[in-house]
Amino acid sequence: MADITITQKITIELDGKSPFEYVVMKQGDKGSRILAVSLLQNKQPYEIPTGCTARIKYYKPDGNPVLNDCTLSGDEILVTYTEQMLAAAGVGKGEIVLLKNGKELKSATYYTKIVETVYKTEGLTSDKEFLSVATVLNDMDQAAQKATAEAKIAEAAAATATEKAQAAGTAAGKATTAAGAADRAKANADAATKAANEAKTNAEKATQSANTAAGDAQKATTAAKAAAAACEGIAAGINTIADTTTGKTYTIGVDAGRIYLEARD
């Protein structure tokens, strides 16, 4: 179902004079009249680069300025005339502006003849209109809100990272303390092992010395027993002995392995 929007077409030079014909609009119309602008460069159709945006800079017949956004359709620039753009009857003038990467390219000035309406609506006053600026400000506000949200996320992430770093530092400190305690425990264990080995060596030496002493004592005991046996044998074989010098006679006896002489009467 068709609506009540109508479109006029016009060609405007980028590097030449203004178009001869007027764009004709009606006072008081609102969003129903669209101007489709094609651009020329050196009398040849101009191909609008990708990534461009377009605006209309416009002065109404009463001198109030307008700065609104346009719509791109291929290489055509669509200018929708708002209620404010058509609020005052007379001749207004405007120019198309292409924008990309901070650069601006303006067209030649064109003119709009706004025919006075028969029946004027009460309450409509001609004023300035800056819808493009409002769009820009809105975009800036949204960008600022997004940046703020991202900053908060980054701040929270930084806080989390700081907490983790602190926890890691604490864990590292505890690990260092534990390592020190382990080193001390190892040193004590090594010292205890060394002392035990020395004690074992000393015990082995003492045992060896005791065994040697026991062997020597056993040998002495055996020798003593042999000597006692020999003495007893001698005593058993010879009971008496005579001293030719004194003429006395002695009895030979043995007591606890000792040989003794006892004079006889």
Side-chain angles (χ1 to χ4, degrees), residues 226-239 254 259:
C231 290
E232 290 175 357
I234 294 172
I238 302 174
N239 293 324
V254 177
I259 299 173

Side-chain angles (χ1 to χ4, degrees), residues 211-236:
N211 290 336
T212 301
D216 292 342
Q218 184 66 34
K219 289 178 181 180
T221 300
T222 302
K225 287 181 179 180
C231 290
E232 290 175 357
I234 294 172

Side-chain angles (χ1 to χ4, degrees), residues 11 21 69 236 257:
T11 301
E21 70 273 16
D69 289 328

